[in-house]
Amino acid sequence: MFEEIQGLPVHVLVVHAVVLFVPLLAVLAVAYVGLPRWRHRLDWAVAILAVAAPLTAFVAIQSGEAFTDALVARGFQGPLLDQIFEHSRYGDILFRIVVPLGIVAILLLVATSGHPRVPRLPALVTPVLAVAVVALSIAALVYVYLTGHSGAQAVWGTTL
């Protein structure tokens, strides 16, 4: 399932979704925190991205593992494989950041929704969720960069 689409590795295709959705989630979630007047315009985008970003990161990890297994089976070894493993470690950390970011963003959406079914929460809940969203967003942006850069170095580092 995570190996190929029409002869191309799934990983090569899905990483572009991760590079798009994770930074979008981070930026829009921080905007949701910092621009309360715009919340009604950002809420659906943040909610969709809070699900899509972790999902695409999961698919990227699974397809990356399948891609690595295929490369090892073909005899790849040495420094290139070390770069791939470094890229994989960054990707794993990114996933461990994006999942909580998605969860905390959804919790913040619910806490600030004003919906009558949402019970009255302690005053400290919203600021704590807001700080968590900002911190996780910064970490996600850093690890998107590190993961993408290490992957690009593995693929293109010696080409030019």
Side-chain angles (χ1 to χ4, degrees), residues 17-18 20-26 46-60 94-95 98-99 101-102:
V18 175
L20 175 67
F21 292 151
V22 171
L24 268 176
L25 171 60
V46 172
I48 290 167
L49 288 167
V51 174
L55 185 62
T56 57
F58 173 76
V59 174
L94 176 62
F95 180 68
V98 172
V99 169
L101 174 57

Side-chain angles (χ1 to χ4, degrees), residues 7-106:
L8 292 174
V10 170
H11 187 71
V12 174
L13 302 171
V14 78
V15 295
H16 295 91
V18 175
V19 170
L20 175 67
F21 292 151
V22 171
L24 268 176
L25 171 60
V27 169
L28 292 181
V30 169
Y32 187 86
V33 167
L35 303 169
R37 290 179 49 181
W38 287 68
R39 285 183 177 166
H40 67 283
R41 293 179 183 218
L42 296 172
D43 54 4
W44 281 104
V46 172
I48 290 167
L49 288 167
V51 174
L55 185 62
T56 57
F58 173 76
V59 174
I61 287 174
Q62 296 302 311
S63 62
E65 289 175 0
F67 189 39
T68 302
D69 292 344
L71 293 176
V72 169
R74 289 188 177 171
F76 281 76
Q77 56 186 341
L80 177 60
L81 205 53
D82 293 339
Q83 287 180 314
I84 292 170
F85 288 141
E86 177 188 23
H87 172 66
S88 177
R89 281 190 300 274
Y90 285 140
D92 289 340
I93 294 168
L94 176 62
F95 180 68
R96 291 184 181 129
I97 292 168
V98 172
V99 169
L101 174 57
I103 292 168
V104 172
I106 289 172

